Amino acid sequence: METGQKDFSIAVLPFVNMSASEENEYFSDGVTEEIINALTRVEGVQVTARTSSFAFKGENRDIRSIAAELGVSTILEGSVRRAGDRVRITAQLIEAKSDTHLWSESYDRELDDIFAVQDEIASAISDALKLSLAVETGDPLQASAIKTASASAYDAYLRGRELIHRRTDADLAAAHDHLRRSLRLDDSFAPAHAQLAIAMMLGPKGSLESVISHLDRAQELEPDLAEAHGGRALLELQTKRDPVATIEHARKALASNPNY
């Protein structure tokens, strides 16, 4: 694909939790991660990995210095305020070199609309890019890979996924419980099946049969799901120690979500 005058590289900084409860930190982090995932599906956009962006969580640093350290031309920052079944997401896109705003918007939605608003933010950034930086971003953004009819199931999934990132046995056991709850609320939620399998493999709970069952179910629902292929790669690594199969599944995961 040919680009315009400038390359578009972006780092999405962790959105600030502005909710009354500090416990909603997992939710603001989850929203940030899903926006990162949505942006990776926009052709022509180079997105800094979650791990690198989250290294700046809670730091009060100059935008230009963060952008220079991460090697990006633009920064997306914002906040999330959750109150009951409603959520307000504020986002702003900043050109690092000039420290000027390219775009900003606030979204007030019901929690059930959280998936749509994450894609809406990514689409708005793509449009701002075309207008302000003269970069061609390819085809329109496709719908998010997150599909569940239950906002409560998604909430439990976010709690579980955040705990998996921490990697301790206690956190992985708690992640297992949250993901189980997510699937009780919506058994057809493929990412929850995949993350539950991953939590089982990394932590103290779960049999090999259960791991395989959840990965099979995830891929039955969404054959190209990055998390399912990531789980398969981990399974091959832990059980059969087959580097060829591990690499194959890892490549399929990255083909589906380059930032996974």
Side-chain angles (χ1 to χ4, degrees):
M1 186 203 74
E2 293 183 0
T3 59
Q5 296 175 354
K6 298 181 182 179
D7 292 330
F8 183 53
S9 54
I10 185 171
V12 183
L13 299 183
F15 279 31
V16 178
N17 173 34
M18 301 292 288
S19 307
S21 172
E22 291 184 1
E23 290 186 0
N24 278 314
E25 192 83 11
Y26 76 91
F27 187 81
S28 57
D29 285 352
V31 168
T32 306
E33 190 164 346
E34 291 307 327
I35 291 172
I36 291 173
N37 291 339
L39 283 170
T40 63
R41 292 182 283 110
V42 180
E43 186 180 354
V45 177
Q46 299 175 11
V47 188
T48 297
R50 176 197 187 278
T51 304
S52 299
S53 294
F54 271 67
F56 294 93
K57 183 173 180 177
E59 292 194 12
N60 186 19
R61 294 267 302 274
D62 178 74
I63 288 294
R64 282 172 289 195
S65 69
I66 293 176
E69 195 164 329
L70 292 174
V72 297
S73 60
T74 49
I75 294 285
L76 181 72
E77 62 177 8
S79 63
V80 178
R81 185 186 299 275
R82 181 178 174 184
D85 291 331
R86 291 197 64 81
V87 61
R88 164 173 263 200
I89 300 175
T90 300
Q92 52 188 8
L93 183 66
I94 303 167
E95 185 178 39
K97 186 176 180 180
S98 61
D99 198 16
T100 58
H101 286 71
L102 300 174
W103 166 87
S104 64
E105 190 62 77
S106 293
Y107 301 84
D108 290 287
R109 297 287 193 276
E110 295 291 334
L111 195 56
D112 287 341
D113 293 332
I114 188 65
F115 321 113
V117 75
Q118 289 165 169
D119 284 342
E120 191 176 342
I121 291 171
S123 293
I125 293 168
S126 176
D127 290 341
L129 162 66
K130 291 176 183 178
L131 291 173
S132 301
L133 299 181
V135 175
E136 176 56 55
T137 58
D139 296 331
L141 181 70
Q142 299 300 310
S144 171
I146 295 290
K147 302 182 183 74
T148 177
S150 168
S152 297
Y154 181 62
D155 186 84
Y157 162 79
L158 288 183
R159 288 178 184 268
R161 189 176 67 180
E162 178 61 28
L163 288 165
I164 288 174
H165 286 314
R166 300 179 188 178
R167 286 294 196 273
T168 70
D169 283 350
D171 286 324
L172 289 165
H176 180 282
D177 295 338
H178 285 299
L179 292 163
R180 283 281 189 196
R181 178 173 178 271
S182 177
L183 292 173
R184 286 197 298 270
L185 294 165
D186 183 0
D187 185 61
S188 63
F189 189 13
H193 279 287
Q195 289 288 359
L196 178 56
I198 290 169
M200 288 176 174
M201 286 186 279
L202 294 175
K205 291 188 175 184
S207 65
L208 179 61
E209 291 76 13
S210 293
V211 167
I212 293 173
S213 175
H214 283 291
L215 289 175
D216 286 347
R217 178 62 172 152
Q219 291 192 289
E220 176 188 342
L221 293 163
E222 294 186 36
D224 297 325
L225 183 67
E227 291 161 296
H229 282 295
R232 293 282 186 197
L234 183 60
L235 179 64
E236 292 291 342
L237 195 62
Q238 287 191 343
T239 58
K240 301 176 184 178
R241 301 198 179 278
D242 183 343
V244 175
T246 299
I247 291 169
E248 180 183 356
H249 283 294
R251 283 178 171 161
K252 287 180 179 179
L254 291 172
S256 179
N257 179 358
N259 217 24
Y260 181 51

